[in-house]
Amino acid sequence: AASEGVTTSSGSGASRRSLSAQAKADHLKAIEKWEYIVSHPSEDSGIVGVAYYNAAAAYFRLEQYESAIQRCTQLLERLPEHEDAWRAQFLIAKVYKRQMDNPAADTAALQLSMQQALERLVQRYPTCPAAPGALRSLQASSNSEGGRK
C-alpha cells in the first residue's frame, strides 16, 4: 500500500505523519545511492537528473527540507530541461507548504516562498501536469489577498 511504513501521530509539535524506523532506514539507503551518483556524475545526464530528484524526494520524506531544496535547486540549475525538472520545482513548493505545518514557522515568509516556487513552475514548465493546479493555487491566493493589499 502507498501508506506502508507510515504511522500517523498526533499531539502538539508532532508530525502529522511519521515514517517507521524501517522506512527511514530504506530512505537513508536510497539517499546514499542517489548521492553517490550525484557525486560521481557520468556522461548520462538523465540518470544524474533522476538521482538529484530522487534524493530530494527522499530528503523530503525524511523531513530534511534544506537538503531537499538543495538537490532540487541543483537539478534546476544544472539540468533545467531534464524530465524531472518540473517535479523538482514543484517539490520546492511542497517543502514550503509542509514547513507551514510547524507552529513556530514564519508562515507569511513560507507562503511567499511557496508562491514564488509555484510561479517559477508555471513560467518554466507551463505544460507540465502540475501547472494547472499551481495556477489555481496562485489565483486562489491572489483572490484571498485582494482585500489585504
Side-chain angles (χ1 to χ4, degrees):
S3 62
E4 199 169 283
V6 176
T7 56
T8 303
S9 60
S10 61
S12 62
S15 272
R16 286 179 295 146
R17 308 179 95 202
S18 60
L19 295 174
S20 69
Q22 182 60 51
K24 285 180 183 177
D26 291 345
H27 285 303
L28 289 170
K29 277 187 208 170
I31 286 171
E32 190 176 315
K33 290 177 182 177
W34 294 123
E35 289 291 352
Y36 178 84
I37 293 170
V38 167
S39 64
H40 297 85
S42 69
E43 296 295 316
D44 184 357
S45 64
I47 190 66
V48 174
V50 168
Y52 277 124
Y53 177 74
N54 286 342
Y59 283 126
F60 176 78
R61 289 185 195 101
L62 292 173
E63 299 180 358
Q64 294 180 18
Y65 299 128
E66 293 302 318
S67 295
I69 288 175
Q70 179 185 25
R71 285 299 180 220
C72 287
T73 301
Q74 289 170 327
L75 170 57
L76 292 165
E77 289 173 353
R78 296 176 184 170
L79 301 166
E81 301 304 317
H82 189 273
E83 65 183 312
D84 285 328
W86 73 267
R87 288 180 179 90
Q89 186 63 56
F90 189 56
L91 185 58
I92 291 171
K94 286 174 60 173
V95 166
Y96 292 127
K97 182 168 177 55
R98 179 72 60 85
Q99 287 178 312
M100 284 191 270
D101 291 342
N102 180 343
D106 180 351
T107 308
L110 291 168
Q111 178 72 28
L112 178 62
S113 295
M114 183 183 78
Q115 287 176 330
Q116 291 169 339
L118 291 174
E119 288 168 359
R120 280 192 288 278
L121 174 76
V122 171
Q123 289 168 357
R124 293 179 185 170
Y125 310 102
T127 61
C128 79
L135 266 175
R136 283 190 301 275
S137 177
L138 289 167
Q139 289 167 345
S141 175
S142 175
N143 291 340
S144 70
E145 290 175 358
R148 292 187 293 208
K149 285 187 177 177

